[in-house]
Amino acid sequence: MAAPVTQQVSGGAAPSPSPALAGPESGQPLAPSVAELPVLDATGKRLPFGALFRERRAVVVFVRHFLCYICKEYVEDLAKVPERLLQEANVTLIVIGQSSYHHIEPFCKLTGYSHEIYVDPEREIYKRLGMKRGEEIASSGNNIHFMHRDRNRLDHKPINSVLQLVGVPHVNFTSRPSIIHV
C-alpha cells in the first residue's frame, strides 16, 4: 500500500490549528540519520538539515529541481509571501532544491524568492524521506507535524493551505483586488 499523499502527523483526523506546531512535544520526530544530512546554502556552506528548524517553526518545501517550470512557478508564488506575515506567525519559509549550490542565486533572481533556500545536491534527504517528486512539510523542534507528497508534477499543496497550518493569514497571489461581500 502506498504512503498517504497528505498526512497530518500530530493530533486527530482534522487539521490542527497553529498552536499544535508551537512546541517540539508533538509531531513525529525527524530521524537523527536524516537530521544530520547536509544541505548547502548559496555559498556552498554545509549545514545539517535538522538544524534548519531545530530551534524554530518552519515550512520546508522540497522542489524537484530548479529547471522544473511548475516548481519555478510555485517558488515565484512563495516569493510573494510577505516576510511580515511569516514573522508575525513566528515561521520560517525554506525551499530545498536538488541541484548544485551554484544554481541558488540565479534561481532566486529568476523567481524573486528572498526567503531561505538550500540544496540537497546528492538527493540524500529526498531518498531517505522516500520522496519522488516534491514535498511540503510543516515542522518545529525537529518534529514533523504535516507533510504532503506530490503525486505528480502538478500536485503541489496549495500554499495558503500549508501556511494556514502554521498560523499565517491568507495571502492573495493575484494582482486583483479582493472582493468584499457586505
mmCIF file of all heavy atoms in Angstrom, residues 149-179:
data_model
loop_
_atom_site.group_PDB
_atom_site.id
_atom_site.type_symbol
_atom_site.label_atom_id
_atom_site.label_comp_id
_atom_site.label_asym_id
_atom_site.label_seq_id
_atom_site.Cartn_x
_atom_site.Cartn_y
_atom_site.Cartn_z
ATOM 1 N N ARG A 149 3.076 14.705 0.044
ATOM 2 C CA ARG A 149 3.919 14.184 -1.035
ATOM 3 C C ARG A 149 3.199 14.387 -2.355
ATOM 4 O O ARG A 149 2.059 13.965 -2.510
ATOM 5 C CB ARG A 149 4.180 12.691 -0.839
ATOM 6 C CG ARG A 149 4.976 12.381 0.394
ATOM 7 C CD ARG A 149 5.165 10.864 0.500
ATOM 8 N NE ARG A 149 5.670 10.503 1.790
ATOM 9 C CZ ARG A 149 6.963 10.489 2.107
ATOM 10 N NH1 ARG A 149 7.863 10.792 1.219
ATOM 11 N NH2 ARG A 149 7.347 10.147 3.315
ATOM 12 N N ASP A 150 3.877 15.016 -3.288
ATOM 13 C CA ASP A 150 3.285 15.240 -4.601
ATOM 14 C C ASP A 150 3.117 13.913 -5.335
ATOM 15 O O ASP A 150 4.024 13.094 -5.367
ATOM 16 C CB ASP A 150 4.181 16.157 -5.442
ATOM 17 C CG ASP A 150 4.291 17.561 -4.873
ATOM 18 O OD1 ASP A 150 3.563 17.869 -3.914
ATOM 19 O OD2 ASP A 150 5.118 18.330 -5.385
ATOM 20 N N ARG A 151 1.934 13.705 -5.916
ATOM 21 C CA ARG A 151 1.668 12.507 -6.711
ATOM 22 C C ARG A 151 2.175 12.667 -8.136
ATOM 23 O O ARG A 151 2.487 11.692 -8.803
ATOM 24 C CB ARG A 151 0.178 12.192 -6.742
ATOM 25 C CG ARG A 151 -0.348 11.750 -5.386
ATOM 26 C CD ARG A 151 -1.824 11.565 -5.465
ATOM 27 N NE ARG A 151 -2.395 12.919 -5.612
ATOM 28 C CZ ARG A 151 -3.672 13.202 -5.613
ATOM 29 N NH1 ARG A 151 -4.556 12.249 -5.530
ATOM 30 N NH2 ARG A 151 -4.094 14.429 -5.721
ATOM 31 N N ASN A 152 2.215 13.901 -8.604
ATOM 32 C CA ASN A 152 2.729 14.189 -9.943
ATOM 33 C C ASN A 152 3.266 15.619 -9.937
ATOM 34 O O ASN A 152 3.171 16.311 -8.928
ATOM 35 C CB ASN A 152 1.639 13.992 -11.012
ATOM 36 C CG ASN A 152 0.431 14.871 -10.768
ATOM 37 O OD1 ASN A 152 0.545 16.084 -10.656
ATOM 38 N ND2 ASN A 152 -0.738 14.257 -10.666
ATOM 39 N N ARG A 153 3.795 16.057 -11.061
ATOM 40 C CA ARG A 153 4.445 17.369 -11.091
ATOM 41 C C ARG A 153 3.499 18.542 -10.882
ATOM 42 O O ARG A 153 3.928 19.653 -10.603
ATOM 43 C CB ARG A 153 5.228 17.540 -12.382
ATOM 44 C CG ARG A 153 4.394 17.511 -13.621
ATOM 45 C CD ARG A 153 5.270 17.511 -14.875
ATOM 46 N NE ARG A 153 4.460 17.340 -16.057
ATOM 47 C CZ ARG A 153 3.856 18.328 -16.692
ATOM 48 N NH1 ARG A 153 3.989 19.561 -16.260
ATOM 49 N NH2 ARG A 153 3.124 18.092 -17.758
ATOM 50 N N LEU A 154 2.190 18.305 -10.986
ATOM 51 C CA LEU A 154 1.205 19.373 -10.818
ATOM 52 C C LEU A 154 0.519 19.345 -9.450
ATOM 53 O O LEU A 154 -0.439 20.066 -9.231
ATOM 54 C CB LEU A 154 0.136 19.265 -11.921
ATOM 55 C CG LEU A 154 0.651 19.341 -13.351
ATOM 56 C CD1 LEU A 154 -0.466 19.032 -14.333
ATOM 57 C CD2 LEU A 154 1.268 20.693 -13.632
ATOM 58 N N ASP A 155 1.000 18.523 -8.546
ATOM 59 C CA ASP A 155 0.283 18.252 -7.304
ATOM 60 C C ASP A 155 0.836 18.954 -6.070
ATOM 61 O O ASP A 155 0.667 18.494 -4.962
ATOM 62 C CB ASP A 155 0.259 16.731 -7.064
ATOM 63 C CG ASP A 155 -0.627 16.347 -5.899
ATOM 64 O OD1 ASP A 155 -1.723 16.924 -5.777
ATOM 65 O OD2 ASP A 155 -0.207 15.495 -5.102
ATOM 66 N N HIS A 156 1.499 20.078 -6.229
ATOM 67 C CA HIS A 156 1.955 20.803 -5.039
ATOM 68 C C HIS A 156 0.749 21.184 -4.194
ATOM 69 O O HIS A 156 -0.308 21.542 -4.709
ATOM 70 C CB HIS A 156 2.701 22.080 -5.420
ATOM 71 C CG HIS A 156 4.076 21.863 -5.945
ATOM 72 N ND1 HIS A 156 5.093 21.368 -5.177
ATOM 73 C CD2 HIS A 156 4.597 22.067 -7.175
ATOM 74 C CE1 HIS A 156 6.190 21.296 -5.904
ATOM 75 N NE2 HIS A 156 5.911 21.708 -7.126
ATOM 76 N N LYS A 157 0.888 21.097 -2.884
ATOM 77 C CA LYS A 157 -0.167 21.516 -1.963
ATOM 78 C C LYS A 157 -0.350 23.029 -2.111
ATOM 79 O O LYS A 157 0.627 23.775 -2.184
ATOM 80 C CB LYS A 157 0.250 21.159 -0.528
ATOM 81 C CG LYS A 157 -0.785 21.424 0.516
ATOM 82 C CD LYS A 157 -1.783 20.318 0.548
ATOM 83 C CE LYS A 157 -2.740 20.507 1.701
ATOM 84 N NZ LYS A 157 -3.952 19.763 1.500
ATOM 85 N N PRO A 158 -1.582 23.517 -2.171
ATOM 86 C CA PRO A 158 -1.783 24.971 -2.259
ATOM 87 C C PRO A 158 -1.062 25.695 -1.112
ATOM 88 O O PRO A 158 -1.148 25.290 0.048
ATOM 89 C CB PRO A 158 -3.299 25.127 -2.156
ATOM 90 C CG PRO A 158 -3.844 23.823 -2.649
ATOM 91 C CD PRO A 158 -2.849 22.788 -2.190
ATOM 92 N N ILE A 159 -0.356 26.741 -1.467
ATOM 93 C CA ILE A 159 0.464 27.459 -0.489
ATOM 94 C C ILE A 159 -0.364 27.945 0.688
ATOM 95 O O ILE A 159 0.042 27.801 1.842
ATOM 96 C CB ILE A 159 1.211 28.626 -1.170
ATOM 97 C CG1 ILE A 159 2.219 28.070 -2.177
ATOM 98 C CG2 ILE A 159 1.908 29.507 -0.134
ATOM 99 C CD1 ILE A 159 2.835 29.120 -3.083
ATOM 100 N N ASN A 160 -1.531 28.523 0.440
ATOM 101 C CA ASN A 160 -2.350 29.017 1.549
ATOM 102 C C ASN A 160 -2.774 27.887 2.491
ATOM 103 O O ASN A 160 -2.906 28.108 3.690
ATOM 104 C CB ASN A 160 -3.556 29.792 1.037
ATOM 105 C CG ASN A 160 -3.208 31.246 0.769
ATOM 106 O OD1 ASN A 160 -2.529 31.880 1.566
ATOM 107 N ND2 ASN A 160 -3.645 31.767 -0.362
ATOM 108 N N SER A 161 -2.972 26.690 1.979
ATOM 109 C CA SER A 161 -3.332 25.550 2.842
ATOM 110 C C SER A 161 -2.201 25.221 3.806
ATOM 111 O O SER A 161 -2.433 24.946 4.982
ATOM 112 C CB SER A 161 -3.638 24.309 1.993
ATOM 113 O OG SER A 161 -4.763 24.527 1.202
ATOM 114 N N VAL A 162 -0.979 25.248 3.307
ATOM 115 C CA VAL A 162 0.177 24.951 4.163
ATOM 116 C C VAL A 162 0.401 26.084 5.153
ATOM 117 O O VAL A 162 0.618 25.857 6.342
ATOM 118 C CB VAL A 162 1.439 24.706 3.313
ATOM 119 C CG1 VAL A 162 2.656 24.483 4.198
ATOM 120 C CG2 VAL A 162 1.243 23.510 2.381
ATOM 121 N N LEU A 163 0.314 27.327 4.678
ATOM 122 C CA LEU A 163 0.523 28.472 5.565
ATOM 123 C C LEU A 163 -0.520 28.530 6.673
ATOM 124 O O LEU A 163 -0.216 28.892 7.810
ATOM 125 C CB LEU A 163 0.527 29.779 4.766
ATOM 126 C CG LEU A 163 1.677 29.964 3.788
ATOM 127 C CD1 LEU A 163 1.502 31.259 3.002
ATOM 128 C CD2 LEU A 163 3.022 29.933 4.491
ATOM 129 N N GLN A 164 -1.758 28.153 6.354
ATOM 130 C CA GLN A 164 -2.832 28.152 7.345
ATOM 131 C C GLN A 164 -2.492 27.217 8.508
ATOM 132 O O GLN A 164 -2.806 27.512 9.661
ATOM 133 C CB GLN A 164 -4.131 27.726 6.689
ATOM 134 C CG GLN A 164 -5.308 27.670 7.641
ATOM 135 C CD GLN A 164 -6.561 27.141 6.961
ATOM 136 O OE1 GLN A 164 -6.536 26.640 5.839
ATOM 137 N NE2 GLN A 164 -7.674 27.258 7.657
ATOM 138 N N LEU A 165 -1.836 26.102 8.219
ATOM 139 C CA LEU A 165 -1.473 25.142 9.269
ATOM 140 C C LEU A 165 -0.517 25.728 10.306
ATOM 141 O O LEU A 165 -0.479 25.264 11.436
ATOM 142 C CB LEU A 165 -0.844 23.885 8.662
ATOM 143 C CG LEU A 165 -1.788 22.996 7.874
ATOM 144 C CD1 LEU A 165 -0.998 21.952 7.104
ATOM 145 C CD2 LEU A 165 -2.795 22.342 8.808
ATOM 146 N N VAL A 166 0.260 26.719 9.904
ATOM 147 C CA VAL A 166 1.222 27.311 10.831
ATOM 148 C C VAL A 166 0.813 28.711 11.280
ATOM 149 O O VAL A 166 1.608 29.437 11.865
ATOM 150 C CB VAL A 166 2.650 27.325 10.222
ATOM 151 C CG1 VAL A 166 3.178 25.905 10.044
ATOM 152 C CG2 VAL A 166 2.693 28.085 8.919
ATOM 153 N N GLY A 167 -0.442 29.082 11.002
ATOM 154 C CA GLY A 167 -0.970 30.334 11.526
ATOM 155 C C GLY A 167 -0.672 31.567 10.706
ATOM 156 O O GLY A 167 -0.811 32.683 11.201
ATOM 157 N N VAL A 168 -0.278 31.396 9.438
ATOM 158 C CA VAL A 168 -0.048 32.550 8.573
ATOM 159 C C VAL A 168 -1.364 32.876 7.867
ATOM 160 O O VAL A 168 -1.990 31.992 7.294
ATOM 161 C CB VAL A 168 1.066 32.263 7.531
ATOM 162 C CG1 VAL A 168 1.226 33.427 6.567
ATOM 163 C CG2 VAL A 168 2.386 31.975 8.241
ATOM 164 N N PRO A 169 -1.801 34.146 7.908
ATOM 165 C CA PRO A 169 -3.063 34.520 7.261
ATOM 166 C C PRO A 169 -3.030 34.291 5.756
ATOM 167 O O PRO A 169 -1.966 34.216 5.146
ATOM 168 C CB PRO A 169 -3.209 36.010 7.570
ATOM 169 C CG PRO A 169 -2.197 36.340 8.582
ATOM 170 C CD PRO A 169 -1.159 35.265 8.576
ATOM 171 N N HIS A 170 -4.215 34.234 5.163
ATOM 172 C CA HIS A 170 -4.378 34.035 3.723
ATOM 173 C C HIS A 170 -3.581 35.085 2.941
ATOM 174 O O HIS A 170 -3.609 36.265 3.271
ATOM 175 C CB HIS A 170 -5.869 34.119 3.372
ATOM 176 C CG HIS A 170 -6.161 33.895 1.932
ATOM 177 N ND1 HIS A 170 -6.292 32.637 1.392
ATOM 178 C CD2 HIS A 170 -6.329 34.765 0.916
ATOM 179 C CE1 HIS A 170 -6.530 32.742 0.105
ATOM 180 N NE2 HIS A 170 -6.562 34.028 -0.207
ATOM 181 N N VAL A 171 -2.891 34.642 1.892
ATOM 182 C CA VAL A 171 -2.123 35.535 1.031
ATOM 183 C C VAL A 171 -2.805 35.574 -0.326
ATOM 184 O O VAL A 171 -3.146 34.534 -0.888
ATOM 185 C CB VAL A 171 -0.668 35.031 0.871
ATOM 186 C CG1 VAL A 171 0.101 35.895 -0.113
ATOM 187 C CG2 VAL A 171 0.040 34.985 2.225
ATOM 188 N N ASN A 172 -3.027 36.781 -0.854
ATOM 189 C CA ASN A 172 -3.614 36.951 -2.179
ATOM 190 C C ASN A 172 -2.468 36.935 -3.194
ATOM 191 O O ASN A 172 -1.630 37.826 -3.203
ATOM 192 C CB ASN A 172 -4.383 38.264 -2.257
ATOM 193 C CG ASN A 172 -5.049 38.478 -3.593
ATOM 194 O OD1 ASN A 172 -4.961 37.651 -4.496
ATOM 195 N ND2 ASN A 172 -5.715 39.613 -3.724
ATOM 196 N N PHE A 173 -2.417 35.905 -4.037
ATOM 197 C CA PHE A 173 -1.330 35.756 -5.001
ATOM 198 C C PHE A 173 -1.632 36.410 -6.341
ATOM 199 O O PHE A 173 -0.819 36.355 -7.247
ATOM 200 C CB PHE A 173 -1.001 34.275 -5.204
ATOM 201 C CG PHE A 173 -0.394 33.659 -3.985
ATOM 202 C CD1 PHE A 173 -1.146 32.843 -3.164
ATOM 203 C CD2 PHE A 173 0.918 33.907 -3.640
ATOM 204 C CE1 PHE A 173 -0.589 32.277 -2.032
ATOM 205 C CE2 PHE A 173 1.488 33.363 -2.515
ATOM 206 C CZ PHE A 173 0.734 32.542 -1.708
ATOM 207 N N THR A 174 -2.789 37.000 -6.484
ATOM 208 C CA THR A 174 -3.125 37.679 -7.732
ATOM 209 C C THR A 174 -2.959 39.174 -7.540
ATOM 210 O O THR A 174 -2.871 39.676 -6.418
ATOM 211 C CB THR A 174 -4.579 37.385 -8.160
ATOM 212 O OG1 THR A 174 -5.466 38.012 -7.243
ATOM 213 C CG2 THR A 174 -4.853 35.895 -8.222
ATOM 214 N N SER A 175 -2.949 39.890 -8.644
ATOM 215 C CA SER A 175 -2.857 41.349 -8.551
ATOM 216 C C SER A 175 -4.240 41.982 -8.496
ATOM 217 O O SER A 175 -4.368 43.187 -8.408
ATOM 218 C CB SER A 175 -2.075 41.896 -9.746
ATOM 219 O OG SER A 175 -2.676 41.476 -10.957
ATOM 220 N N ARG A 176 -5.268 41.127 -8.542
ATOM 221 C CA ARG A 176 -6.640 41.647 -8.486
ATOM 222 C C ARG A 176 -7.027 41.982 -7.049
ATOM 223 O O ARG A 176 -6.632 41.288 -6.107
ATOM 224 C CB ARG A 176 -7.608 40.599 -9.027
ATOM 225 C CG ARG A 176 -7.388 40.293 -10.498
ATOM 226 C CD ARG A 176 -8.349 39.242 -10.939
ATOM 227 N NE ARG A 176 -8.170 38.055 -10.100
ATOM 228 C CZ ARG A 176 -8.224 36.827 -10.539
ATOM 229 N NH1 ARG A 176 -8.462 36.582 -11.789
ATOM 230 N NH2 ARG A 176 -8.046 35.806 -9.738
ATOM 231 N N PRO A 177 -7.807 43.028 -6.862
ATOM 232 C CA PRO A 177 -8.268 43.357 -5.507
ATOM 233 C C PRO A 177 -9.230 42.285 -4.995
ATOM 234 O O PRO A 177 -9.948 41.642 -5.769
ATOM 235 C CB PRO A 177 -8.974 44.697 -5.683
ATOM 236 C CG PRO A 177 -9.281 44.808 -7.136
ATOM 237 C CD PRO A 177 -8.276 43.955 -7.878
ATOM 238 N N SER A 178 -9.230 42.096 -3.716
ATOM 239 C CA SER A 178 -10.145 41.134 -3.087
ATOM 240 C C SER A 178 -11.561 41.658 -3.151
ATOM 241 O O SER A 178 -11.801 42.864 -3.048
ATOM 242 C CB SER A 178 -9.765 40.914 -1.621
ATOM 243 O OG SER A 178 -8.495 40.347 -1.541
ATOM 244 N N ILE A 179 -12.515 40.750 -3.302
ATOM 245 C CA ILE A 179 -13.928 41.130 -3.318
ATOM 246 C C ILE A 179 -14.443 41.040 -1.887
ATOM 247 O O ILE A 179 -14.256 40.043 -1.211
ATOM 248 C CB ILE A 179 -14.732 40.187 -4.223
ATOM 249 C CG1 ILE A 179 -14.238 40.318 -5.654
ATOM 250 C CG2 ILE A 179 -16.224 40.486 -4.127
ATOM 251 C CD1 ILE A 179 -14.825 39.321 -6.603
#
